[in-house]
C-alpha cells in the first residue's frame, strides 16, 4: 500500500514501478481513503503502542493506493524492496531508504507474512477482487 504521504508526494508511479520492474504481478489495485475502522483493524496488533492513534490518523489522512502483488517469494521480497521501518535505517536502494526520512511518514506498507497478506487482501479488497491474468513476460521471469 502506498500510504497517504506517498500519494500526496506523487510517488505512486515510482513505487508501483519498482514492483513491476522486479517482476511481480499486479492482481488488484485501488485508490481510496480508508476509514478509521479499517485502519484500526489493519494495524490492530499495534493497538497497545503509544503511537497507535498517530498511526491511525496518518493512514486515514488522505487517499492510499492499496495493491495486491503476486509472485515467487513476493512477501519477503517486498519487505526487502520497502526497507526498514525507520527510513533512516533503511538501506539506500530501498523505497524507504531512498524516499523517506521518518518512521511516521514512511511512504509504504507491506504485509509481513503470507498469512497477513491474505488477511489484509480480504480486509482491503473483500471477496473476488483479484484479477486472473497471465503476464506474457512470465517465461522470461521464471523458469
Ligand atoms: P508497515 O508495513 O506499515 O506495517 O510497517 P512495518 O511492518 O515496517 O512496521 P510496523 O508494522 O512495526 O509498524 C507499522 C507502522 O507504524 C510503521 O510503518 C510506521 O508507519 C508506524 N510506526 C511504527 N513505529 C512507530 C513509531 O515509533 N512512531 C510512529 N509515529 N509511528 C510508528
Ligand atoms: Mg507491519
Amino acid at each position: 500500500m502506498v500510504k497517504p504521504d506517498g500519494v500526496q508526494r506523487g510517488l505512486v508511479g515510482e513505487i508501483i514501478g519498482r514492483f513491476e520492474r522486479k517482476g511481480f504481478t499486479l492482481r488488484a489495485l485501488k485508490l481510496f481513503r480508508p476509514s478509521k475502522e479499517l485502519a484500526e483493524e489493519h494495524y490492530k496488533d499495534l493497538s497497545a503502542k503509544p503511537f497507535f492513534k498517530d498511526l491511525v490518523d496518518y493512514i486515514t489522512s488522505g487517499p492510499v493506493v492499496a495493491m495486491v502483488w503476486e509472485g515467487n517469494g513476493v512477501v519477503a521480497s517486498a519487505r526487502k524492496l520497502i526497507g526498514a521501518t525507520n527510513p533512516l535505517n533503511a538501506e539506500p536502494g530501498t523505497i524507504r531508504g531512498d524516499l523517506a526520512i521518518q518512521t511516521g511518514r514512511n511512504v509504504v506498507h507491506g504485509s509481513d507474512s503470507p498469512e497477513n497478506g491474505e488477511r489484509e487482501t480480504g480486509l482491503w479488497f473483500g471477496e473476488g477482487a483479484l484479477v486472473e491474468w497471465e503476464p506474457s513476460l512470465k517465461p522470461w521471469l521464471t523458469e
Side-chain angles (χ1 to χ4, degrees), residues 37-107:
E37 291 69 32
L38 177 58
E40 286 175 349
E41 179 64 23
H42 174 77
Y43 280 124
K44 69 178 178 191
D45 291 352
L46 300 175
S47 61
K49 299 284 186 188
F51 57 81
F52 186 67
K53 186 185 175 299
D54 289 342
L55 174 58
V56 171
D57 286 349
Y58 164 41
I59 294 302
T60 57
S61 64
V64 303
V65 174
M67 298 171 276
V68 179
W69 290 91
E70 181 184 75
N72 191 30
V74 65
V75 172
S77 177
R79 299 278 293 180
K80 284 190 182 167
L81 292 175
I82 288 169
T85 306
N86 181 343
L88 297 183
N89 297 332
E91 295 295 328
T94 64
I95 294 168
R96 289 169 176 164
D98 288 348
L99 303 174
I101 54 172
Q102 207 186 44
T103 304
R105 295 289 183 273
N106 61 4
V107 172

